[in-house]
Amino acid sequence: QVQLVESGGGSVQAGGSLRLSCEVSGYTYSRKCIAWFRQVPGKEREGVAIISTGGPNTYWADLWDSVKGRFTISQDYAKNTVYLQMDSLKPEDTAIYYCAARFGELCWATMGGEKFGYWGQGTQVTVAS
């Protein structure tokens, strides 16, 4: 029933920007914990950003250290969408980016991927030097 669909990936030059979207559907709980993770094939998955929401309210948002000052996570409740705005992109940001969700009140800063039960299929981001 629950479905997450990422979009907005692509190829950009270093220093450029992209905005990723995660459309979430099929849920019945108003309280959500939505996060972005990224992974390079053959390497460990990394956390990127996380947001805690309840209906149209955003309670808090947090970023992992590697992207602080460059990325922003936000929601558009009317569109059932969470965004990841990525600015000042670097070649090391190249990865497949995944959206993950957990429904209910369990949500904290830097929560690990094992806590999320729903995942999108991912979208590729490539940053050229």
Side-chain angles (χ1 to χ4, degrees):
Q1 291 284 352
V2 176
Q3 186 175 38
L4 283 68
V5 180
E6 302 99 331
S7 62
S11 181
V12 298
Q13 296 295 117
S17 298
L18 284 173
R19 188 179 73 165
L20 305 184
S21 299
C22 175
E23 184 177 3
V24 185
S25 62
Y27 60 90
T28 59
Y29 301 97
S30 62
R31 193 70 181 268
K32 304 186 294 293
C33 188
I34 309 293
W36 287 94
F37 294 86
R38 65 187 183 186
Q39 187 169 29
V40 176
K43 297 184 179 180
E44 295 294 324
R45 180 179 60 203
E46 296 181 331
V48 179
I50 189 168
I51 187 169
S52 176
T53 67
N57 302 307
T58 295
Y59 296 113
W60 55 264
D62 197 24
L63 301 170
W64 271 251
D65 288 343
S66 63
V67 303
K68 284 184 177 178
R70 300 188 298 120
F71 291 9
T72 303
I73 187 170
S74 63
Q75 75 154 344
D76 186 333
Y77 177 71
K79 296 182 178 180
N80 297 316
T81 299
V82 171
Y83 299 105
L84 182 67
Q85 178 67 44
M86 305 185 295
D87 298 319
S88 302
L89 283 162
K90 304 175 181 179
E92 51 262 46
D93 294 318
T94 295
I96 301 174
Y97 284 70
Y98 297 92
C99 181
R102 183 183 179 97
F103 301 100
E105 297 183 3
L106 181 63
C107 191
W108 64 83
T110 68
M111 190 166 71
E114 71 277 4
K115 299 295 184 181
F116 296 86
Y118 302 95
W119 294 79
Q121 292 184 319
T123 185
Q124 176 71 46
V125 171
T126 302
V127 184
S129 61

